[in-house]
Amino acid sequence: MHIEPANRLLRLPPYVLGQLKQLIYERRQAGGDVIDLNMGNPKDAAPDAVIEKIREAVLDPRNSRYSASAGISNLRRDMADKYKRKWGVELDPQTEVIATIGSKEGFSHMCLALLGPGDIAIVADPAFQIHTYAVILAGASTVSVPLGNDDAFLKRVEDVLRHLTPKPKVVILNYPHNPTTMTVDAAFFEKVVALAQEHQVMIMHDFAYGETCFDGYKAPSYLQVAGAKEYGVEFTTLSKPYNMAGWRIGFCCGNAEMVNALGTLKGYYDYGIFQAVQIAAILAMREGDKHVEKQALIYQERRDVMVRGLRRLGWDVGSPNGTMFVWAKVAPRHLARYNHSSQDFCMAMVEEAEVAMTPGAAFGALGEGYVRMALVENEHRIRQAIRQLGRALK
């Protein structure tokens, strides 16, 4: 019998990152030592005290039961406390904070809660894949505008809001940005709120890299702007700042009606995060500020090594103020050997240099010609990766 999947799956393009992952696996099976800079998957350890806390919590049989899909009350309260401490944002932990199974799950389910056939979301190009595909999986459509962090970008968004029929329902933002590492200041979000007010549109801001910042830069929260909660929500995660990616714990905070809609959907879909993880996450937020700062310094040092090395290759690369990535424009002479395709280039580099990177085109048409490289390996391995790229590209 031929199985016909749902139309929502047929609307998805081939998952480039899945193909790349398979190629890395095959190369390693053949004995290759691939330096994997493809995914933002932290290799450093979570804080010692957090690991001890989860060990303790796992031994309590009460924590093996189903938990609350919205997150236990102490967890939500501590996230509200963290927002107050770090960004000066007042949140009601009962109505304006919900725990999610990582920010990716929360974002995806929020799209399902807010959007359906006939609805439109504005997404920047390039964009992290789920910001586009979660909308498509919800049955809605996206309109892409070229990414920016300035008035020109907001003017492009406003033009779409003013002239497109039906009017878009949601604007999706992400700063510090994955993959481009682009950052903004608080004044940018003031203009976003003014735009949302004028056009009565919802805002969804992915703040996954809000605590992974360098050189004294402090990323602003969308929610710290007056009036922000009236129009939108913000997604955060413990994955990156605390090295807890596999623990799958994140948050959605902000507009109470949007949070409630997500909570209603999650009540049908899941039974919440393993409670031992939630208990350990409380400790992370209470005691982990120094760990977050230390981890950011580690990424900053790796960034410096990678940027210097790529510039020696002749690539055009800035020094990012945030995220755990470097966004690099491959030298045209290097890309020319691979059909001027960032995807072909990255596939070839797994074979020829044993270095894995993410092709910029995987994030949208305007990402073509670029690669994203994650700062997950130590400085020695990053230098080794640069040497191997240099040899392969001679």
Side-chain angles (χ1 to χ4, degrees):
M1 175 182 175
H2 173 65
I3 303 299
E4 187 72 27
N7 185 58
R8 68 177 64 88
L9 294 187
L10 299 177
R11 292 178 67 194
L12 295 173
Y15 194 48
V16 174
L17 300 191
Q19 297 171 1
L20 195 58
K21 194 173 180 181
Q22 180 63 27
L23 195 61
I24 295 165
Y25 171 78
E26 291 171 0
R27 185 70 180 179
R28 284 176 170 167
Q29 287 294 104
D33 177 23
V34 179
I35 301 174
D36 192 352
L37 308 174
N38 172 41
M39 278 188 69
N41 192 6
K43 289 191 173 181
D44 302 299
D48 291 343
V50 176
I51 292 171
E52 287 305 314
K53 176 56 74 172
I54 197 170
R55 280 177 176 157
E56 174 190 314
V58 165
L59 294 174
D60 186 339
R62 292 174 297 179
N63 292 327
S64 291
R65 304 177 66 196
Y66 292 133
S67 188
S69 63
I72 58 178
S73 59
N74 283 355
L75 178 72
R76 287 179 283 138
R77 185 195 66 212
D78 273 85
M79 174 46 78
D81 289 346
K82 179 175 176 176
Y83 258 96
K84 176 66 175 174
R85 182 175 76 248
K86 288 212 155 193
W87 296 289
V89 177
E90 296 277 0
L91 292 169
D92 181 342
Q94 299 304 316
T95 61
E96 296 175 335
V97 180
I98 187 169
T100 62
I101 308 169
S103 59
K104 188 175 180 181
E105 175 272 325
F107 183 90
S108 302
H109 277 159
M110 181 64 88
C111 287
L112 211 54
L114 298 179
L115 301 169
D119 291 330
I120 297 170
I122 297 177
V123 186
D125 181 2
F128 181 49
Q129 290 97 334
I130 201 63
H131 295 160
T132 301
Y133 301 148
V135 175
I136 292 170
L137 287 168
S141 301
T142 62
V143 171
S144 291
V145 298
L147 176 69
N149 58 359
D150 54 11
D151 290 346
F153 169 69
L154 293 176
K155 177 69 164 57
R156 292 193 289 273
V157 172
E158 185 167 29
D159 285 346
V160 174
L161 290 169
R162 196 177 297 280
H163 299 298
L164 190 66
T165 303
K167 178 186 279 192
K169 195 173 179 181
V170 175
V171 177
I172 294 168
L173 300 173
N174 167 215
Y175 302 98
H177 187 262
N178 178 13
T180 71
T181 75
M182 190 176 285
T183 54
V184 295
D185 56 18
F188 176 85
F189 285 131
E190 291 173 3
K191 294 170 184 173
V192 168
V193 171
L195 194 70
Q197 183 177 29
E198 181 179 352
H199 294 279
Q200 293 297 293
V201 64
M202 291 181 286
I203 304 295
M204 289 169 58
H205 180 232
D206 186 345
F207 199 37
Y209 297 93
E211 294 180 86
T212 308
C213 300
F214 317 130
D215 300 328
Y217 172 73
K218 288 184 169 50
S221 163
Y222 161 76
L223 295 175
Q224 73 188 60
V225 174
K229 281 196 291 186
E230 187 175 342
Y231 300 101
V233 292
E234 185 165 78
F235 295 88
T236 55
T237 176
L238 273 61
S239 294
K240 308 314 193 268
Y242 302 96
N243 295 326
M244 294 167 62
W247 301 43
R248 305 315 300 136
I249 186 156
F251 296 89
C252 174
C253 302
N255 183 276
E257 290 180 81
M258 294 169 73
V259 168
N260 182 62
L262 176 58
T264 300
L265 190 89
K266 284 174 65 64
Y268 282 92
Y269 269 117
D270 72 69
Y271 287 109
I273 303 144
F274 180 31
Q275 196 154 287
V277 170
Q278 297 187 59
I279 291 166
I282 291 170
L283 185 73
M285 289 189 289
R286 286 182 184 174
E287 301 183 8
D289 281 0
K290 287 184 179 176
H291 174 90
V292 172
E293 293 165 10
K294 182 180 175 183
Q295 188 63 45
L297 285 173
I298 290 170
Y299 285 137
Q300 181 176 310
E301 290 165 1
R302 293 174 183 173
R303 173 207 66 180
D304 292 343
V305 170
M306 185 177 285
V307 167
R308 284 196 301 267
L310 293 176
R311 286 174 178 169
R312 285 197 301 272
L313 292 179
W315 294 11
D316 182 4
V317 51
S319 185
N321 281 331
T323 77
M324 56 190 295
F325 303 110
V326 166
W327 180 246
K329 187 172 186 180
V330 180
R333 68 181 185 277
H334 293 154
L335 210 58
R337 292 163 52 186
Y338 304 94
N339 307 312
H340 296 281
S341 162
S342 60
Q343 181 173 337
D344 289 354
F345 175 79
C346 287
M347 295 293 188
M349 286 304 101
V350 174
E351 295 287 348
E352 297 174 22
E354 293 195 334
V355 176
M357 305 164 283
T358 311
F363 303 102
L366 295 181
E368 184 56 271
Y370 291 81
V371 294
R372 190 195 70 179
M373 302 173 73
L375 302 169
V376 292
E377 292 281 5
N378 62 39
E379 293 172 37
H380 169 73
R381 292 280 279 176
I382 291 172
R383 290 190 183 95
Q384 184 181 341
I386 301 295
R387 285 195 299 270
Q388 290 172 198
L389 285 170
R391 282 197 294 267
L393 294 169
K394 268 188 178 178

